[in-house]
Amino acid sequence: PFKAADRKYPVEMLQPVNETYTLSAEVPSGYVVDELPKSVKVAYNNTEGIFEYLIQKSENEIQLRYRIKLNKATFPSDEYDTLRDFYAYVVKKLSEQVVFKKKK
């Protein structure tokens, strides 16, 4: 979301971010989970926000929960690089894939 390499003005969001997404998905019959992304917790500026990505599998189900929370809505221009890196990490993590393998 933050494509510019440099920014001279503050980033102003409408409100602080606090979003949680959950997913329960059934493993297709005849397949098993071969690879699963790792669960992570990443803080933004120590206590100003967090990104949690929690994923687990059972025999026939995958459960995913991720949360993005930022405690403020305005970020001064000197925090732009940190905010940009934080969101780049979130986007990269969310693009990781679950790999299925056909049962033998």
Side-chain angles (χ1 to χ4, degrees):
F2 302 103
K3 295 181 181 183
D6 194 24
R7 187 171 175 104
K8 295 180 170 86
Y9 301 100
V11 173
E12 295 178 355
M13 299 182 184
L14 295 175
Q15 60 191 20
V17 176
N18 189 2
E19 299 174 352
T20 302
Y21 300 90
T22 57
L23 168 76
S24 291
E26 189 176 317
V27 175
S29 62
Y31 289 85
V32 294
V33 176
D34 188 41
E35 285 182 41
L36 203 62
K38 292 189 188 309
S39 294
V40 295
K41 291 183 183 180
V42 177
Y44 174 76
N45 280 351
N46 296 323
T47 61
E48 292 181 1
I50 192 164
F51 169 63
E52 294 177 318
Y53 181 94
L54 307 170
I55 190 166
Q56 64 183 9
K57 67 176 180 170
S58 64
E59 184 66 31
N60 61 350
E61 188 177 61
I62 298 169
Q63 294 178 335
L64 167 67
R65 178 182 165 275
Y66 76 88
R67 179 180 185 204
I68 300 172
K69 182 178 182 193
L70 294 172
N71 299 328
K72 60 184 183 178
T74 302
F75 300 85
S77 60
D78 64 343
E79 287 184 26
Y80 177 73
D81 289 340
T82 307
L83 184 64
R84 183 175 180 232
D85 291 346
F86 178 78
Y87 268 95
Y89 181 82
V90 169
V91 169
K92 181 180 175 188
K93 188 66 183 173
L94 294 178
S95 68
E96 293 180 358
Q97 298 182 4
V98 175
V99 178
F100 295 100
K101 183 170 76 173
K102 195 165 193 144
K103 286 183 182 177
K104 293 183 180 183

